């Protein structure tokens, strides 16, 4: 049981490049989330999904896009990378609508935009 | 607006000393609160949830609705407790968590 798997673990992008951060879970969780973690700023929600085909914006969605074509996968797309997107990105999932059982987190993707 | 406040960025204690990591929240609904821990170079993991009233790794946290607090406590800190600790508030309407900015706990030998 792998839990939540994120790839890649590290990536360096040049300004204006695009990339997709992958997130997959094998727990049949309906709810999935993307957070970014900036030093001293905690975690901020980028996008979330309550099920396949349903996504919604979080607190800091600008510059990102998501899709949820299957229950297992929730990729995060950066179209035109900017230095402000340098951060550590975490994907998480849960099986309840009220997060009552807590999240399962991936190991993170450390992204640097230069 | 919903908010989680962790007033201390860094908390440094000696091994064997008591530790208290503070967390205050702002939420008009019935709160559901959690503590998450992130050890060095590891993923975030759930430490405690207030609904279960459990003790994990010697840590406890009590929800005080009057003071809107959910402080994390441990009577005798260990070096392996050194980590980032995040307090989080569940928003039932969206199923997502709001996190505080985190407190880095450093336990010195």
């Amino acid at each position: 049981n792998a839990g939540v798997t994120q790839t890649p673990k590290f990536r360096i992008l040049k300004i204006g490049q695009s990339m997709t951060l992958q997130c997959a879970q094998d727990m049949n969780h309906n709810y999935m989330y993307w957070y970014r973690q900036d030093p001293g700023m905690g975690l901020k929600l980028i996008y979330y999904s309550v099920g396949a085909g349903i996504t919604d914006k979080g607190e800091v969605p600008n510059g990102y896009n998501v899709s949820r074509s299957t229950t297992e996968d929730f990729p995060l797309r950066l179209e035109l990378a900017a230095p402000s997107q340098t951060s550590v990105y975490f994907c998480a999932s849960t099986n309840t609508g009220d997060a009552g059982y807590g999240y399962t987190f991936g190991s993170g993707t450390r992204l640097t935009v230069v | 607006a919903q908010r989680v406040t962790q007033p201390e960025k860094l908390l440094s204690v000696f091994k064997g000393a008591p530790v208290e990591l503070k967390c205050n929240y702002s939420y008009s609904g019935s709160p559901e609160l959690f503590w998450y821990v992130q050890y060095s170079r590891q993923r975030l993991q759930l430490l405690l949830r207030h609904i279960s009233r459990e003790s994990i790794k010697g840590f406890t946290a009590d929800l005080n609705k009057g003071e809107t607090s959910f402080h994390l406590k441990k009577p005798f800190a260990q070096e392996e407790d050194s980590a980032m600790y995040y307090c989080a508030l569940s928003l039932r309407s969206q199923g997502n968590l709001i996190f505080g900015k985190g407190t880095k706990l450093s336990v010195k030998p």
Side-chain angles (χ1 to χ4, degrees), chain B residues 42-92:
Chain B
Q42 293 187 25
R43 66 186 70 194
L44 280 87
Q45 53 187 287
L46 179 64
L47 180 64
L48 284 177
R49 49 182 186 259
H50 92 269
I51 57 173
S52 55
R53 302 182 67 82
E54 58 203 340
S55 174
I56 303 294
K57 299 183 180 182
F59 284 98
T60 59
D62 291 317
L63 177 62
N64 186 323
K65 291 186 179 181
E67 296 182 358
T68 59
S69 68
F70 188 57
H71 303 326
L72 184 67
K73 300 177 183 179
K74 185 170 183 177
F76 307 103
Q78 303 299 315
E79 290 181 69
E80 55 266 29
D81 296 328
S82 296
M84 280 293 294
Y85 290 82
Y86 292 94
C87 183
L89 169 70
S90 169
L91 297 188
R92 292 174 180 264

Side-chain angles (χ1 to χ4, degrees), chain A residues 2 4 31 33 35 37 40-43 45 48 50 90 94 96-107 110, chain B residues 9 32 34 36 38 41-46 49 51 84 86 90-102:
Chain A
V4 177
Y31 294 79
Y33 310 87
Y35 284 87
Q37 183 186 38
M41 297 300 292
L43 285 83
L45 182 65
Y48 66 101
V50 301
F90 287 100
T94 186
T96 68
D98 61 8
Y101 294 93
Y103 288 2
T104 300
F105 278 88
S107 58
R110 186 175 295 273
Chain B
K9 281 188 176 181
E32 206 163 339
F34 305 81
Y36 279 80
Q38 186 178 27
R41 299 190 179 279
Q42 293 187 25
R43 66 186 70 194
L44 280 87
Q45 53 187 287
L46 179 64
R49 49 182 186 259
I51 57 173
M84 280 293 294
Y86 292 94
S90 169
L91 297 188
R92 292 174 180 264
S93 60
Q94 297 176 357
N96 65 296
L97 292 172
I98 291 180
F99 287 85
K101 293 184 178 181

